Amino acid sequence: MSLTIYTLMDSNYEIITAGLINSILKTSFNGNIIIGYRGELKYDFSAKNIKLVELKNNDLWIGNLKAELILDNPCENFLWLDSDLIINHYNFFNIVEDAISKGLFLSVEALISPNDIRRKLWRKRIFPQSENNSSKTSEYFSSGILGGNFKRDKHLLDQWQFSINSVLKPPAAIFDDPNFLMPDQDILNGILQDYTLPYLTISAPDIWYDHT
């Protein structure tokens, strides 16, 4: 399998991350898993095909380092998964690989009007020279699931990390910036709202949120 999975954790998310890893290993996946971590870990994550990468950037909130982790550890095809996810479909990763062969793989979390004020604020902050007045999409994507081909989609990762570094004031945690309440996710959507290349998505009911 040419797919490499990436995720992030700190000491507060070790058990949750272990849940993600265990769910992955119960599927058809047989590729590599790269875990970026910050701080001292209580548990041993060493295993075949699992690589631990200590994060050197301590200025930004950990959730803003997704693109940086992938860029610093390149592969053929990448899949970002937030550590609080659980995979419950045995064939999920084969579906993802097929989708990535056709374009970017994204997860739709909500719908926001193409003319929503938030979108205009995102564009003004991320692309101040842009003359676009309306988004090309009403989809609001999750930054918790993102797949692509590294060579083909590296420009998106570069723009994502550059915009996080240039637009947000460290540490840029959740709710720190009134225009980017979900910092890494809103930055990603501010870029993707003008995206013109092919992409495929998953969304509810393919994604189930368990509130029990």
Side-chain angles (χ1 to χ4, degrees):
M1 182 170 284
S2 63
L3 189 66
T4 298
I5 294 173
Y6 297 79
T7 194
L8 287 172
M9 69 175 177
D10 58 19
S11 59
N12 295 319
Y13 272 74
E14 286 184 74
I15 293 177
I16 292 173
T17 305
L20 169 64
I21 301 302
N22 286 338
S23 74
I24 292 171
L25 298 179
K26 290 182 179 179
T27 71
S28 60
F29 183 78
N30 60 6
N32 294 319
I33 302 172
I34 296 179
I35 306 174
Y37 73 95
R38 178 183 283 169
E40 296 293 327
L41 300 180
K42 303 173 185 176
Y43 301 102
D44 183 9
F45 279 80
S46 59
K48 182 182 179 181
N49 297 340
I50 294 180
K51 177 182 178 182
L52 290 173
V53 177
E54 185 173 7
L55 302 172
K56 303 301 183 183
N57 187 334
N58 292 314
D59 296 328
L60 289 168
W61 172 61
I62 192 171
N64 290 320
L65 302 179
K66 298 175 182 181
E68 184 174 301
L69 180 64
I70 301 172
L71 289 167
D72 289 346
N73 300 273
C75 63
E76 182 179 351
N77 294 319
F78 64 86
L79 176 64
W80 176 269
L81 294 175
D82 273 358
S83 58
D84 58 354
L85 295 172
I86 294 293
I87 306 302
N88 59 12
H89 192 301
Y90 180 80
N91 206 38
F92 175 72
F93 297 106
N94 291 322
I95 295 171
V96 170
E97 278 202 304
D98 181 65
I100 288 174
S101 70
K102 299 174 175 61
L104 201 64
F105 176 70
L106 298 163
S107 172
V108 177
E109 182 169 304
L111 298 177
I112 298 179
S113 167
N115 295 309
D116 192 285
I117 291 173
R118 284 170 290 181
R119 292 190 179 279
K120 297 182 183 301
L121 292 172
W122 295 341
R123 182 178 290 109
K124 183 178 180 180
R125 294 273 300 276
I126 299 172
F127 302 111
Q129 306 304 319
S130 175
E131 296 182 358
N132 288 345
N133 293 315
S134 179
S135 169
K136 297 184 183 301
T137 182
S138 60
E139 296 161 309
Y140 178 76
F141 303 104
S142 169
S143 63
I145 302 176
L146 173 66
N149 174 272
F150 188 85
K151 183 177 180 180
R152 182 193 66 207
D153 302 315
K154 182 177 180 294
H155 69 286
L156 173 63
L157 297 173
D158 285 332
Q159 182 66 62
W160 191 14
Q161 193 59 50
F162 173 80
S163 298
I164 286 173
N165 290 334
S166 61
V167 173
L168 302 177
K169 180 180 179 181
I174 292 175
F175 302 135
D176 277 0
D177 189 313
N179 296 150
F180 299 92
L181 296 176
M182 305 294 289
D184 63 299
Q185 186 161 284
D186 288 347
I187 288 281
L188 179 62
N189 277 274
I191 297 167
L192 289 175
Q193 66 181 351
D194 294 324
Y195 197 70
T196 58
L197 297 178
Y199 63 86
L200 291 173
T201 71
I202 55 173
S203 57
D206 298 311
I207 305 171
W208 294 96
Y209 298 93
D210 186 357
H211 297 287
T212 59

